[in-house]
Structures are given as structure tokens and as C-alpha cells.
Amino acid sequence: MCAVTSREADTPTPAEIAKAFAEGRPDSLSDAYQRWSTMIFTLALRALGNRADAEDVTQQVFVSAWRGRANFDPDSGQLGAWLTGITRHRIADRLTARSRELRNSEAAAKLAEERPASVVDDRTVDRVVIADELARLGDPRRTILRLAFYEDLTHPQIAEQLDLPLGTVKSHIRRGLLHLRGQLKEVTGDDTSR
């Protein structure tokens, strides 16, 4: 007759783990993990080829299994087989996510290739220079230009709002634009008089 060690006697059988798991006993999750985590990790690693992804999938399988333990019936099947089914779903989810990430990366790279960076940089420089030069203008010219270009008011609306003659508003806008064009030409080196 073979002597049973105390460690073997303390280790629950797969059927005992399954029954305790279905009943929601907290120690059964640990027992299930000890019993089947290596198998689940190996399946995930073979399918995904990435250790970090396989570790994530293994963790997700046990979290999903514990949360969905009410759906497991130990009389209908083995816990190991049920966990394997969950593993297949989590692997498929991870492969789908990888595919989506790859498509997004390719789309971003294509978009970056299509849009030259210098165009964005030139526009940014122009905006900064214009905002800086507007801040340096004295009133009422600064206010008139802001109302015209940031608030989209017409010349008559500006004249009415500021209680100024329409001709004065038009003069300030023209002189302000000439000033801004000159400053922009100095900063960028472009000939904006074209």
C-alpha cells in the first residue's frame, strides 16, 4: 500500500475544486489558479507569441471565470474545459485588439505622411505672430481687429458697438492689416504682398 503525504491529502481534486468554485468559495479560486493557470498561460503564449499578453490573458481568464461562476455547472462539465473555453475567447479578444491597434497605427502613419509637418508649423508660427502683434497694437485698433476677425462682426456692427464712425473703423482695419502683414513678412521671410 502507498502512503499518502499530508500535502497530497490537502490538495483538492479537480472535482472538489469545481464544486467549491461553483458554490463561490473564495479559496476555490486560488485552488483553480494553482491547478490550471500553467495550462491557460501555455495556450495563450502559443496563440499570442508574447509573454506579457499571455500573462494578461491568464489573469483575465480567472477574473472572468470568477465573475461568471454562476454560469458554470460542475455536473455538466469539467472546470478545466470551461476555463479553456474562456481562454479561447480572451485570446480572440486580444488578437482582435492587436489587429485594431495595427490598423490605427497604419492609419496614423499614413496621415502623417500625407500632411507635411512644415505646413502645420508655418500656420502655428503665423498664429503666434499675429496674436503677439495684435496684443502690441493700441486701442481702438486692437479692439476693432479682434471684433472683426475673432468675433466675426461686420464693419457697421463694430462701428455701432464702439460708437465710432464707419470710416474710422475701416481705416483702423486697413492700417492694422497692413501692419500685421509687414510683421508676418519679417518673421517668416515670405512675401505676403502677392
Side-chain angles (χ1 to χ4, degrees):
M1 202 161 177
C2 176
V4 176
T5 65
S6 64
R7 180 180 167 123
E8 289 173 349
D10 291 341
T11 304
T13 66
E16 292 171 333
I17 295 171
K19 185 174 188 266
F21 194 88
E23 292 171 357
R25 287 192 241 151
D27 58 329
S28 66
L29 178 60
S30 174
D31 292 337
Y33 187 85
Q34 288 176 357
R35 176 84 177 166
W36 289 288
S37 64
T38 302
M39 175 191 68
I40 290 169
F41 174 78
T42 302
L43 288 171
L45 184 60
R46 285 182 184 163
L48 300 171
N50 179 296
R51 187 171 192 80
D53 284 348
E55 289 170 353
D56 286 345
V57 164
T58 302
Q59 182 179 10
Q60 290 170 10
V61 165
F62 282 96
V63 169
S64 295
W66 186 251
R67 288 180 179 161
R69 66 187 178 275
N71 297 322
F72 173 68
D73 180 8
D75 296 329
S76 298
Q78 297 179 352
L79 183 57
W82 188 65
L83 293 170
T84 301
I86 295 172
T87 303
R88 288 191 179 124
H89 287 286
R90 293 297 161 259
I91 289 170
D93 292 346
R94 183 63 197 129
L95 290 172
T96 300
R98 274 187 187 173
S99 178
R100 185 174 40 251
E101 290 166 6
L102 180 62
R103 282 193 313 270
N104 289 343
S105 294
E106 288 172 350
K110 185 177 179 182
L111 185 60
E113 289 174 6
E114 292 174 357
R115 186 182 302 178
S118 63
V119 172
V120 174
D121 292 339
D122 290 346
R123 289 180 186 160
T124 303
V125 169
D126 291 349
R127 287 183 186 137
V128 169
V129 169
I130 289 170
D132 187 46
E133 287 304 317
L134 270 176
R136 291 182 187 181
L137 290 175
D139 268 333
R141 188 170 293 158
R142 174 180 51 232
T143 303
I144 291 170
L145 286 173
R146 285 181 194 264
L147 290 172
F149 296 105
Y150 290 122
E151 295 187 28
D152 225 10
L153 297 181
T154 64
H155 296 171
Q157 289 171 327
I158 295 169
E160 184 180 326
Q161 184 172 338
L162 298 179
D163 196 27
L164 291 172
L166 180 59
T168 302
V169 169
K170 289 181 179 182
S171 291
H172 279 298
I173 289 176
R174 177 155 170 51
R175 288 187 199 127
L177 289 175
L178 288 172
H179 174 78
L180 291 174
R181 182 172 60 179
Q183 293 305 109
L184 188 59
K185 182 178 175 182
E186 281 182 29
V187 172
T188 62
D190 290 342
D191 182 7
T192 57
S193 62
R194 289 183 251 161

